[in-house]
């Protein structure tokens, strides 16, 4: 299913060079994939997942990270939400921030339940509406604006994201990474807070989104372990302030962590840059 979900000279890119036994293994045991993980407590990095329409890949990542007890939000970078229709020239198109997953679900179910059940859209939307209200657009996100609306309290990954800040942004294809990086540059860094923007190139279908979601959690675990180590060295208050000086040692270790992760997931090429909120 294609959900139809925009460079930077400082970017570092790694490329796949071998087969992916870990990736194949990660795609197994599907029955346990959506089980919440026991929360060990302690420090947690805050994550944001991004694809084009905030429907398939970013939402799978959102769910997996939330089940792994990470604070997480998600967005799309497209001008509109686009989902497959009865033909390639007849997509289903919706507005960001105004259309709920539930309303999309009910509309498609009324149009052609057999088609949209067969192509996986109804299953995907059913998952999405259990995660949050509706698709949000990255470019409309007011970074640093508290997300404390009571309607959000039921959202998966809500706890820890109330301040509207993320430490790591994970995009799911290069054009989304470009759009995020360009948008951050245009915003002019009003908060003067570093953010790591990492692209994981994930094909836009349900199976690959599932594999990509597991890979995101693996990366999150590795990054969080390193962040916790550096936080202990510099002190919790300084690290949590998000200033460049306090997080410099963590920032320097991120490319190494990503390189090690890439060896475990060689079929998911990754791109990284350090940007600013």
């Amino acid at each position: 299913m294609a959900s139809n979900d925009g460079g930077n000279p400082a970017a570092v890119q790694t490329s796949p060079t071998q087969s992916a036994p870990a990736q194949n293994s990660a795609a197994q045991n599907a029955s346990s994939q959506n089980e919440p993980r026991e929360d060990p407590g302690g420090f947690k990095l805050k994550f944001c997942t991004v694809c084009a329409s905030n429907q398939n890949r970013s939402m799978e990542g959102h769910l997996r990270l939330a089940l792994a007890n990470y604070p997480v939000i998600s967005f799309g970078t497209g001008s509109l939400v686009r989902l497959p229709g009865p033909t390639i020239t007849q997509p289903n198109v919706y507005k960001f921030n105004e259309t709920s997953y539930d309303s999309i679900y009910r509309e498609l179910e009324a149009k052609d339940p057999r088609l949209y059940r067969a192509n996986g859209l109804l299953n995907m939307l059913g998952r999405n509406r259990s995660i949050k209200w509706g698709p949000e657009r990255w470019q409309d996100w007011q970074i640093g604006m508290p997300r404390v609306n009571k309607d959000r309290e039921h959202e998966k990954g809500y706890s820890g994201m109330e301040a509207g800040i993320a430490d790591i942004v994970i995009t799911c294809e290069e054009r989304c990474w470009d759009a995020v990086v360009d948008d951050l540059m245009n915003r002019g860094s009003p908060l003067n807070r570093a953010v790591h923007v990492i692209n994981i190139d994930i094909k836009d279908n349900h199976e690959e989104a599932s594999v990509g979601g597991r890979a995101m959690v693996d990366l999150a675990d590795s990054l969080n372990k390193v962040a916790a180590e550096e936080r202990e060295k510099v002190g919790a208050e300084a690290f949590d302030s998000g200033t460049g000086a306090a997080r410099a040692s963590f920032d320097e270790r991120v490319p190494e962590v990503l390189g090690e992760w890439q060896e475990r997931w060689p079929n998911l090429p990754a791109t990284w840059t350090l940007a600013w909120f």
Side-chain angles (χ1 to χ4, degrees), residues 209-265:
S210 180
V211 173
R214 293 178 66 91
M216 287 187 200
V217 173
D218 183 31
L219 179 58
D221 288 343
S222 298
L223 290 170
N224 199 72
K225 179 177 181 294
V226 168
E229 293 171 357
E230 298 304 324
R231 182 175 182 261
E232 185 174 356
K233 292 177 185 178
V234 303
E237 184 176 354
F239 192 92
D240 294 348
S241 71
T243 62
R247 293 202 173 190
S249 57
F250 167 67
D251 296 340
E252 291 169 359
R253 294 182 65 182
V254 168
E256 180 182 352
V257 172
L258 186 58
E260 293 172 353
W261 174 90
Q262 186 73 89
E263 293 180 0
R264 299 193 298 273
W265 301 86

Side-chain angles (χ1 to χ4, degrees), residues 134-176:
E136 300 174 81
R137 188 168 185 258
W138 166 276
Q139 293 89 339
D140 299 327
W141 178 28
Q142 295 179 287
I143 298 171
M145 179 68 68
R147 295 168 64 87
V148 293
N149 189 310
K150 286 191 177 295
D151 293 339
R152 293 190 180 277
E153 292 180 358
H154 72 284
E155 294 182 357
K156 287 182 170 59
Y158 170 84
S159 181
M161 293 305 306
E162 296 91 340
I165 293 290
D167 301 300
I168 310 291
V169 175
I170 302 177
T171 63
C172 299
E173 65 174 289
E174 187 175 356
R175 63 173 174 150
C176 298

Side-chain angles (χ1 to χ4, degrees), residues 170-187:
I170 302 177
T171 63
C172 299
E173 65 174 289
E174 187 175 356
R175 63 173 174 150
C176 298
W177 185 80
D178 288 341
V180 166
V181 173
D182 289 347
D183 179 69
L184 289 174
M185 292 179 65
N186 291 334
R187 290 182 188 237

Side-chain angles (χ1 to χ4, degrees), residues 15 25 41 72 81 215 226 271:
S15 301
S25 176
V72 58
V81 175
V226 168
T271 305

